[in-house]
Amino acid sequence: MKKIWVSIVLIFLAIFIFEIAKTYSYYIDEYDNKVDYNIASWKVVVNDKDITSEEDKEFIIDNYNYIKSDNSTLSKANDKFAPGMIAEFTITIDSAKVDVAFDYYLNIDLSVLENNNIKIAYVNNSFGNIEKNDNIYHGFFDKQSIENNEKDLITVGIEWLDTKNSNDHEFSQVYEGKLSIPVNLSLKQKME
């Protein structure tokens, strides 16, 4: 009787192992046949630098075009940042290696300048879709812009207001230091 029970257990064990092996082979076969993925490209280039892999997308702007402001009392424009001048710079965002639409958020930190007379005069972009919310400037690349491999040129003007409070200390900042403004850029993919 004991031999019959052992035989029955061995038969059930063989059937069980056969079924598990069959199921596993179906799983492996299904897995091997469904590995076709289409992954979108995501390589964002800002001012000719790939920023995709960087966790912190903060960079320092220190190259400017100086323009005399409309409210200036200066007799002529000069090549230094001083009261009555606008320091203008451009940020270029290139979408040539991006396959998805995305939003960008630009934060320009003027607090490091420690001068209340220095303000953001304007922020414009080539798409005409930039909006301001508090200190953050929001723009976007839509699907059409991505398909056309367009670049967005963001022009920022920083103005040193020409007030009667301008004194020698402020002027000494012009000649003793270089104007360096931190800019932080955040990117977010859009689901269209």
Side-chain angles (χ1 to χ4, degrees):
M1 185 76 174
K2 199 175 194 184
K3 288 183 182 183
I4 292 175
W5 282 108
V6 172
S7 299
I8 291 173
V9 169
L10 287 175
I11 290 172
F12 278 115
L13 186 61
I15 292 171
F16 179 73
I17 290 172
F18 175 74
E19 288 298 319
I20 287 177
K22 190 169 79 171
T23 304
Y24 180 70
S25 69
Y26 286 144
Y27 170 75
I28 294 297
D29 194 36
E30 287 290 317
Y31 179 76
D32 287 343
N33 288 332
K34 294 189 177 180
V35 181
D36 187 23
Y37 294 105
N38 190 5
I39 299 174
S41 175
W42 178 252
K43 183 177 179 182
V44 180
V45 177
V46 176
N47 290 351
D48 298 323
K49 181 182 176 196
D50 178 12
I51 65 163
T52 308
S53 62
E54 296 180 20
E55 286 183 29
D56 186 13
K57 294 166 180 68
E58 182 174 287
F59 46 95
I60 303 293
I61 301 295
D62 57 5
N63 188 14
Y64 302 93
N65 180 27
Y66 296 103
I67 304 165
K68 184 176 155 185
S69 73
D70 294 337
N71 302 324
S72 176
T73 59
L74 296 172
S75 58
K76 64 176 186 166
N78 60 35
D79 59 353
K80 304 258 188 242
F81 194 49
M85 297 296 292
I86 295 176
E88 185 179 85
F89 62 92
T90 302
I91 299 171
T92 304
I93 302 177
D94 189 352
S95 69
K97 296 183 180 175
V98 177
D99 292 336
V100 293
F102 65 94
D103 290 315
Y104 63 83
Y105 301 90
L106 191 66
N107 184 4
I108 304 164
D109 184 11
L110 298 181
S111 66
V112 298
L113 300 178
E114 299 177 358
N115 187 326
N116 293 332
N117 290 327
I118 298 176
K119 307 283 184 200
I120 297 175
Y122 52 85
V123 177
N124 303 311
N125 70 344
S126 55
F127 296 158
N129 65 5
I130 202 157
E131 297 176 356
K132 181 182 179 190
N133 186 6
D134 293 327
N135 246 4
I136 308 293
Y137 294 87
H138 168 244
F140 61 89
F141 278 79
D142 58 14
K143 189 174 179 180
Q144 183 77 27
S145 303
I146 298 296
E147 289 172 356
N148 294 335
N149 294 329
E150 294 180 6
K151 293 181 181 182
D152 191 4
L153 302 176
I154 304 164
T155 306
V156 179
I158 308 295
E159 182 176 10
W160 190 339
L161 301 175
D162 192 1
T163 65
K164 295 180 180 173
N165 297 331
S166 298
N167 58 32
D168 292 338
H169 172 68
E170 289 178 331
F171 280 100
S172 71
Q173 290 178 0
V174 175
Y175 300 108
E176 293 176 7
K178 191 170 189 178
L179 181 64
S180 296
I181 299 174
V183 175
N184 187 286
L185 181 68
S186 300
L187 306 171
K188 182 178 178 185
Q189 291 184 9
K190 291 176 93 170
M191 304 307 269
E192 291 187 345

